[in-house]
Amino acid sequence: MNHPPIAPERLPELLRAMPKAELHMHIEGSLEPELIFAMGQRNGVALNYPSVEALRSAYVFNNLQEFLDIYHAGTTVLKTEQDFFDMANAYLARAQADSVVHAEIFFDTQTHTGHGLGAETVINGLHRACAEAPARFGITASLILCFLRHLSEEEAFECLEQALPLRDKIVGIGLASSEVGHPPEKFARVFARARELGFRLVAHAGEEAPPAYIWSALDVLKVERIDHGVQAIHDAALMQRLVAQRVPLTVCPLSNLKLCVFPTLADHNLRRMLDAGIVATVNSDDPAYFGGYINDNFTQTFAALGMTSQHAYQLARNS
Ligand code: ADE
Ligand code: ZN
């Protein structure tokens, strides 16, 4: 369906109201400082920051690893199934305000089992929020379990094993955390096993690491979708393949800005990717840490790159 172009001054309203799917967000990255403090208080977990404002003002990062360290500290307040429900419910309420109609939500079981929680505490709490989302918010939501790539493949196998009794509550498997030095090949066997088990497969690739990581996410892990993938622009043969095979990229512009993948939003390659025929989508990644939810990602990126309503319709269709 072709939509008529609209005047630039009406673009923010189109971006806000347009129905969209969010396909790349880490639920732990939606924990706002207010909720971190509230949960810390109710669970008796002390934080290294004296106030909500002090915590928020620490959200300045030079790279992915600096972010991951503070993101991990935020997760220490999560203790009960109710905490996981509350975190996901708060995100879904916020997503509804941004006209999200479908969300595929990443979570890292290993972060929480590393703090002594059971996988079922995590998965049951998140899943209950997803199951209630159609009635509460008019949103369908599903869960993707991300292995942490800085840990071993053996630990990923253990994580998969722990999730299997709750298999029906998880739609897919992904790969997140520190990218450089932890290539997709490290997880070849556990992804093959997840594939045999019928999980849908995605992986972060080409966020900070070179295009070779995207090639091996596709060829070794056999993922259906690439999370980030912005480094593909440096490899013409890879770009051709992504276009020809319509491999979706879940792009997260404000994340890339905050983690210094691009020096400014005006340098982001989203527009070039779309104009080259890449099936790109716009997503928030870790909205509590990166300065905005999905609509902030749309409006700020469109303004910085001079994108049009036709790009908006294309992105919504892609998602
Ligand atoms: N975990 C949470 N956010 C992430 C990101 N942007 N890249 C890799 N792992 C993550
Ligand atoms: Zn991510």
Side-chain angles (χ1 to χ4, degrees):
M1 186 169 54
N2 281 322
H3 294 272
I6 66 159
E9 66 272 16
R10 291 184 47 221
L11 198 48
E13 176 53 20
L14 170 72
L15 296 172
R16 190 194 65 70
M18 159 177 102
K20 53 185 76 74
E22 174 141 75
L23 305 174
H24 182 163
M25 70 83 51
H26 302 259
I27 199 65
E28 296 90 347
S30 73
L31 258 188
E32 292 286 347
E34 289 80 1
L35 200 50
I36 291 179
F37 269 78
M39 284 186 185
Q41 201 143 43
R42 84 184 184 201
N43 292 328
V45 178
L47 296 161
N48 283 334
Y49 298 86
S51 65
V52 164
E53 295 69 34
L55 177 56
R56 189 171 268 120
S57 67
Y59 294 175
V60 179
F61 315 108
N62 292 301
N63 52 47
L64 173 60
Q65 192 58 52
E66 288 185 12
F67 156 69
L68 289 169
D69 293 342
I70 207 161
Y71 160 95
H72 185 261
T75 64
T76 58
V77 300
L78 293 158
K79 294 288 183 197
T80 67
E81 186 179 314
Q82 188 65 35
D83 295 336
F84 288 91
F85 173 87
D86 290 346
M87 172 170 64
N89 201 57
Y91 161 69
L92 289 161
R94 189 63 189 69
Q96 180 194 41
D98 280 8
S99 311
V100 170
V101 295
H102 177 70
E104 299 190 358
I105 296 176
F106 292 140
F107 68 105
D108 332 317
T109 327
Q110 287 164 294
T111 298
H112 314 296
T113 54
H115 298 157
L117 307 187
E120 69 291 346
T121 302
V122 179
I123 296 168
N124 287 333
L126 297 178
H127 183 262
R128 185 157 57 87
C130 292
E132 293 180 12
R136 275 181 196 260
F137 305 115
I139 297 178
T140 52
S142 49
L143 294 172
I144 301 176
L145 189 175
C146 283
F147 298 136
L148 296 179
R149 66 199 307 157
H150 66 278
L151 301 178
S152 68
E153 187 179 47
E154 192 184 346
E155 287 166 297
F157 266 114
E158 221 173 274
C159 171
L160 182 61
E161 201 61 42
Q162 291 164 352
L164 282 187
L166 302 148
R167 200 239 163 284
D168 293 349
K169 298 182 177 177
I170 300 168
V171 68
I173 294 291
L175 186 62
S177 186
S178 321
E179 185 183 19
V180 174
H182 302 284
E185 288 83 347
K186 183 176 161 185
F187 297 94
R189 283 161 298 222
V190 73
F191 265 69
R193 179 68 186 132
R195 192 155 174 261
E196 274 173 14
L197 289 165
F199 287 104
R200 309 293 295 263
L201 304 179
V202 300
H204 284 54
E207 178 182 14
E208 288 185 336
Y213 282 53
I214 302 174
W215 286 103
S216 41
L218 295 171
D219 292 332
V220 179
L221 302 186
K222 303 196 186 307
V223 302
E224 302 172 54
R225 190 156 85 198
I226 297 288
D227 298 313
H228 293 293
V230 291
Q231 303 302 334
I233 202 118
H234 304 297
D235 182 333
L238 177 58
M239 289 288 283
Q240 267 180 8
R241 177 181 180 178
L242 296 173
V243 171
Q245 298 185 347
R246 294 189 53 76
V247 177
L249 302 190
T250 61
V251 177
C252 307
L254 289 179
S255 163
N256 296 152
L257 177 67
K258 277 288 211 172
L259 302 185
C260 304
V261 174
F262 296 94
T264 74
L265 262 192
D267 297 301
H268 201 284
N269 63 20
L270 177 66
R271 183 179 182 153
R272 280 181 286 152
M273 289 274 196
L274 279 178
D275 291 347
I278 295 279
V279 183
T281 63
V282 165
N283 309 271
S284 68
D285 207 5
D286 299 282
Y289 291 89
F290 297 151
Y293 285 77
I294 190 167
N295 281 2
D296 303 305
N297 275 271
F298 271 100
T299 51
Q300 293 185 39
T301 310
F302 270 61
L305 297 176
M307 292 167 73
T308 67
S309 56
Q310 295 308 315
H311 291 117
Y313 298 133
Q314 189 63 51
L315 285 163
R317 261 188 239 118
N318 289 350
S319 78

PDB file of all heavy atoms in Angstrom, residues 27 29 41 105 111 190 273 277:
ATOM      1  N   ILE A  27      14.931  -5.952  28.288  1.00  0.00           N
ATOM      2  CA  ILE A  27      14.011  -5.521  29.337  1.00  0.00           C
ATOM      3  C   ILE A  27      14.781  -4.953  30.542  1.00  0.00           C
ATOM      4  O   ILE A  27      14.336  -3.999  31.169  1.00  0.00           O
ATOM      5  CB  ILE A  27      13.033  -6.665  29.719  1.00  0.00           C
ATOM      6  CG1 ILE A  27      11.821  -6.082  30.427  1.00  0.00           C
ATOM      7  CG2 ILE A  27      13.695  -7.766  30.540  1.00  0.00           C
ATOM      8  CD1 ILE A  27      10.955  -5.173  29.597  1.00  0.00           C
ATOM      9  N   GLY A  29      17.265  -3.161  30.360  1.00  0.00           N
ATOM     10  CA  GLY A  29      17.653  -1.816  29.947  1.00  0.00           C
ATOM     11  C   GLY A  29      16.483  -0.842  29.957  1.00  0.00           C
ATOM     12  O   GLY A  29      16.640   0.314  29.553  1.00  0.00           O
ATOM     13  N   GLN A  41      14.967  -0.454  47.433  1.00  0.00           N
ATOM     14  CA  GLN A  41      14.414  -0.226  48.761  1.00  0.00           C
ATOM     15  C   GLN A  41      13.562  -1.407  49.229  1.00  0.00           C
ATOM     16  O   GLN A  41      13.732  -1.905  50.329  1.00  0.00           O
ATOM     17  CB  GLN A  41      13.568   1.042  48.732  1.00  0.00           C
ATOM     18  CG  GLN A  41      13.351   1.677  50.079  1.00  0.00           C
ATOM     19  CD  GLN A  41      13.371   3.198  49.946  1.00  0.00           C
ATOM     20  OE1 GLN A  41      12.781   3.749  49.011  1.00  0.00           O
ATOM     21  NE2 GLN A  41      14.043   3.873  50.848  1.00  0.00           N
ATOM     22  N   ILE A 105      10.922  -9.033  23.222  1.00  0.00           N
ATOM     23  CA  ILE A 105      11.671  -8.511  24.365  1.00  0.00           C
ATOM     24  C   ILE A 105      12.838  -9.435  24.701  1.00  0.00           C
ATOM     25  O   ILE A 105      12.654 -10.627  24.966  1.00  0.00           O
ATOM     26  CB  ILE A 105      10.705  -8.398  25.577  1.00  0.00           C
ATOM     27  CG1 ILE A 105       9.596  -7.376  25.267  1.00  0.00           C
ATOM     28  CG2 ILE A 105      11.459  -8.078  26.851  1.00  0.00           C
ATOM     29  CD1 ILE A 105       8.536  -7.263  26.361  1.00  0.00           C
ATOM     30  N   THR A 111      22.408 -13.208  33.729  1.00  0.00           N
ATOM     31  CA  THR A 111      22.667 -12.107  34.653  1.00  0.00           C
ATOM     32  C   THR A 111      22.025 -12.427  36.012  1.00  0.00           C
ATOM     33  O   THR A 111      22.634 -12.220  37.068  1.00  0.00           O
ATOM     34  CB  THR A 111      22.044 -10.809  34.098  1.00  0.00           C
ATOM     35  OG1 THR A 111      22.692 -10.516  32.858  1.00  0.00           O
ATOM     36  CG2 THR A 111      22.197  -9.646  35.056  1.00  0.00           C
ATOM     37  N   VAL A 190      25.811 -24.339  20.533  1.00  0.00           N
ATOM     38  CA  VAL A 190      24.602 -24.085  21.330  1.00  0.00           C
ATOM     39  C   VAL A 190      23.495 -23.469  20.465  1.00  0.00           C
ATOM     40  O   VAL A 190      22.304 -23.762  20.665  1.00  0.00           O
ATOM     41  CB  VAL A 190      24.937 -23.245  22.595  1.00  0.00           C
ATOM     42  CG1 VAL A 190      25.232 -21.801  22.289  1.00  0.00           C
ATOM     43  CG2 VAL A 190      23.813 -23.359  23.623  1.00  0.00           C
ATOM     44  N   MET A 273      21.258   3.091   4.783  1.00  0.00           N
ATOM     45  CA  MET A 273      20.868   1.671   4.791  1.00  0.00           C
ATOM     46  C   MET A 273      19.506   1.493   4.105  1.00  0.00           C
ATOM     47  O   MET A 273      19.333   0.622   3.248  1.00  0.00           O
ATOM     48  CB  MET A 273      20.735   1.176   6.237  1.00  0.00           C
ATOM     49  CG  MET A 273      22.047   1.052   6.961  1.00  0.00           C
ATOM     50  SD  MET A 273      22.742  -0.567   6.613  1.00  0.00           S
ATOM     51  CE  MET A 273      23.956  -0.675   7.893  1.00  0.00           C
ATOM     52  N   GLY A 277      18.162  -0.239   0.317  1.00  0.00           N
ATOM     53  CA  GLY A 277      17.251  -1.377   0.231  1.00  0.00           C
ATOM     54  C   GLY A 277      17.347  -2.363   1.378  1.00  0.00           C
ATOM     55  O   GLY A 277      16.745  -3.438   1.348  1.00  0.00           O
TER      56      GLY A 277
END
